[in-house]
Amino acid sequence: MTDQVMDFVRAAVISGELETGKLYSVYQIADLLGISRSPVRDGLLRLEEAGLIEFARNRGFRIIPTSPYDVAEIFSLRLALEVPAASRAATSCTPELTEALVALEKKMRTAAEADAEDEFFAFDQELHDLILGAARSNRGRDIVNRLRVATRLLGVSTAGKQRTLADIIEEHSPIIEAVKAGQSAKAAAAMRDHLTRTGRLLVTQAIAAQGLDLNPDQLWTDLTQGY
């Protein structure tokens, strides 16, 4: 039930059912899920540890809004973890990994053709997770999955704005092909290009959405320098 609470809060924020900055009570969440307050508190405590919510003493909790600085930092961490992971996955690619990569790319293309954005990004996450797993970066997988949730709490997406779902697939294809071919340097470079493009777009969107007077290029450079 603790995991159920965490999944509910994440999904509700992404869908807009729960708003960032607004106070909610443990009782509200317990009533919505039809469960006792104890697992709700446990789930919220874990979300607090992940930096997604904060408690207001005797008043409830609120969702912490993710700032453009957070987005840039998140992608600097993803670059540090996923670029070398792509290289290692290519170095040790197996027939089973190749088969799984091909299957996921096919699913992403099918979802893109149907304009099924939620399904598409579920497969997108599965693909990144698969590559991290192939690189034996198990802690990295957990960290990246939490970072992706934090990014989605912004409520922004590059899909349908600066690029289509088909465009996003074309960023993933070089990663997949390089891993399958055992080309570690190309896999790393393709992953870096993909994450950099995504991160820069999301930083720009976050600045615009929050009406901040910031230079997105400078912010990105400051927080991702070295990656």
Side-chain angles (χ1 to χ4, degrees):
M1 284 191 288
T2 298
D3 288 339
Q4 181 185 354
V5 172
M6 295 174 66
D7 291 342
F8 168 78
V9 173
R10 288 167 174 160
V13 173
I14 292 166
S15 70
E17 186 177 351
L18 297 181
E19 301 174 18
T20 57
K22 184 176 178 180
L23 278 171
Y24 296 95
S25 71
V26 172
Y27 301 94
Q28 284 176 282
I29 305 302
D31 288 343
L32 284 169
L33 295 176
I35 60 178
S36 67
R37 295 189 295 275
S38 181
V40 171
R41 288 195 187 93
D42 289 343
L44 293 175
L45 283 170
R46 287 172 63 183
L47 289 173
E48 182 188 38
E49 290 171 1
L52 302 182
I53 73 161
E54 63 180 1
F55 285 100
R57 187 174 178 83
N58 298 323
R59 297 174 61 200
F61 71 94
R62 62 171 60 88
I63 310 297
I64 300 174
T66 307
S67 75
Y69 296 96
D70 294 326
V71 176
E73 184 181 13
I74 283 167
F75 274 87
S76 73
L77 293 169
R78 290 190 62 184
L79 284 162
L81 292 168
E82 295 192 71
V83 170
S87 175
R88 293 198 303 274
T91 301
S92 58
C93 187
T94 63
E96 292 77 17
L97 177 58
T98 295
E99 184 179 350
L101 289 169
V102 170
L104 273 173
E105 185 176 15
K106 183 177 180 180
K107 289 177 181 178
M108 289 175 72
R109 291 190 182 280
T110 300
E113 290 169 3
D115 199 27
E117 188 171 323
D118 288 343
E119 186 177 351
F120 178 89
F121 283 111
F123 292 136
D124 181 323
Q125 180 164 354
E126 192 175 341
L127 175 63
H128 283 263
D129 193 69
L130 177 65
I131 290 172
L132 284 159
R136 297 186 178 181
S137 182
N138 295 321
R139 291 183 185 275
R141 290 168 75 180
D142 292 338
I143 292 169
V144 168
N145 284 331
R146 289 199 297 272
L147 292 174
R148 288 177 69 109
V149 170
T151 306
R152 291 194 69 190
L153 292 183
L154 266 174
V156 296
S157 167
T158 62
K161 298 178 178 69
Q162 287 93 340
R163 56 185 181 173
T164 65
L165 296 179
D167 292 332
I168 297 172
I169 292 175
E170 296 314 310
E171 291 180 23
H172 285 85
S173 290
I175 303 170
I176 294 170
E177 291 306 312
V179 171
K180 286 163 50 183
Q183 299 171 323
S184 58
K186 285 187 176 181
M191 181 65 81
R192 182 180 293 108
D193 289 345
H194 165 56
L195 291 175
T196 297
R197 178 166 172 75
T198 303
R200 291 178 75 102
L201 288 173
L202 286 173
V203 165
T204 300
Q205 282 190 37
I207 290 172
Q210 297 183 17
L212 301 174
D213 184 19
L214 294 171
N215 182 318
D217 293 332
Q218 188 62 53
L219 191 157
W220 176 265
T221 300
D222 289 346
L223 292 180
T224 63
Q225 195 168 15
Y227 296 107

